[in-house]
Amino acid sequence: NAGVTQTPKFQVLKTGQSMTLQCAQDMNHEYMSWYRQDPGMGLRLIHYSVGAGITDQGEVPNGYNVSRSTTEDFPLRLLSAAPSQTSVYFCASRTRGSSAGADTQYFGPGTRLTVL
Amino acid sequence: DAKTTQPNSMESNEEEPVHLPCNHSTISGTDYIHWYRQLPSQGPEYVIHGLTSNVNNRMASLAIAEDRKSSTLILHRATLRDAAVYYCILRDPPGNTNAGKSTFGDGTTLTVKP
């Protein structure tokens, strides 16, 4: 299994540009999430999904859109990039299993985004 | 969501035990307590979780207070590779409304001195 993959690894945008951060997982996990991590800070939940076709807002959703058309993919779209969105973005997935032992959350390697 | 409170930072000497505390006074009866850690320039990784009883695995031990309002992650012998940010989070069990929502705070930055 490749686990959780994210592309690109690095990206530089100009203010006002739009782009999509890709996230894919091959573990057939129902739950997927997007987080951002600003320098020296913890993780902030942007959006999450509990299954294909179902998404919901997290703690800091403004300026971002998501969709979940398949179980495997959960792209994050920046509508109009702003310098305040400079951050490291992590995608994560986990199973909705009934066993607590199956509840480990797996993270991708992250995308480092700079908005000038 | 029930919140957790952790110290911003802690220091330890190499080869000594480390006790990382977490307060979760508003925990509900069905919330699981999870710990993750984030090594420099990496995504977080799972460490351990529990519900009511103390738990041990190859990485660490988790001690849960009897009233479940606090827990402690125990690293029995800290190594330089254990220097990381440690997050204590609460998670709804499968089937609950917020089961898919997983929030992290700022965690505790552990520094290990040689």
Side-chain angles (χ1 to χ4, degrees):
Chain A
N1 286 352
V4 180
T5 58
Q6 293 184 236
T7 55
K9 286 187 169 51
F10 301 93
Q11 182 70 51
V12 178
L13 293 177
K14 295 181 180 178
T15 297
Q17 286 184 315
S18 62
M19 79 159 295
T20 299
L21 278 62
Q22 301 292 343
C23 174
Q25 52 91 9
D26 61 0
M27 297 172 281
N28 203 32
H29 286 170
E30 294 88 350
Y31 296 160
M32 295 187 75
S33 302
W34 275 104
Y35 299 87
R36 61 175 288 174
Q37 185 172 37
D38 299 336
M41 304 292 287
L43 298 164
R44 301 287 180 247
L45 180 65
I46 305 172
H47 286 285
Y48 66 102
S49 169
V50 298
I54 307 170
T55 64
D56 206 346
Q57 296 182 349
E59 302 168 289
V60 288
N62 292 341
Y64 307 94
N65 272 358
V66 291
S67 60
R68 183 99 179 269
S69 56
T70 68
T71 299
E72 294 77 20
D73 300 299
F74 191 40
L76 178 71
R77 282 184 289 278
L78 278 71
L79 309 173
S80 177
S84 60
Q85 292 179 304
T86 294
S87 190
V88 180
Y89 291 83
F90 289 102
C91 179
S93 76
R94 59 190 174 98
T95 187
R96 210 191 96 189
S98 58
S99 166
D103 202 26
T104 300
Q105 192 169 19
Y106 296 88
F107 284 80
T111 294
R112 294 183 179 275
L113 175 68
T114 302
V115 183
L116 303 175
Chain B
D1 298 334
K3 294 237 183 242
T4 63
T5 304
Q6 300 176 253
N8 287 337
S9 62
M10 291 186 65
E11 283 190 354
S12 171
N13 293 319
E14 198 175 11
E15 303 293 320
E16 291 185 355
V18 181
H19 290 232
L20 298 166
C22 180
N23 287 323
H24 28 78
S25 58
T26 60
I27 189 171
S28 75
T30 54
D31 284 344
Y32 286 85
I33 301 161
H34 283 248
W35 284 81
Y36 284 74
R37 73 177 186 180
Q38 186 176 21
L39 301 173
S41 301
Q42 296 187 24
E45 63 179 1
Y46 168 82
V47 177
I48 199 167
H49 78 278
L51 184 62
T52 56
S53 303
N54 294 345
V55 183
N56 300 299
N57 67 20
R58 63 174 181 82
M59 290 181 69
S61 295
L62 175 61
I64 301 172
E66 194 168 339
D67 63 5
R68 299 204 336 121
K69 293 185 184 300
S70 65
S71 61
T72 302
L73 180 71
I74 302 166
L75 307 179
H76 295 286
R77 290 181 64 195
T79 70
L80 297 179
R81 293 185 66 244
D82 290 323
V85 179
Y86 287 80
Y87 298 96
C88 167
I89 66 172
L90 302 180
R91 187 164 287 160
D92 285 17
N96 277 26
T97 303
N98 286 322
K101 186 176 183 180
S102 185
T103 57
F104 288 67
D106 290 329
T108 296
T109 299
L110 175 64
T111 301
V112 180
K113 297 182 288 185

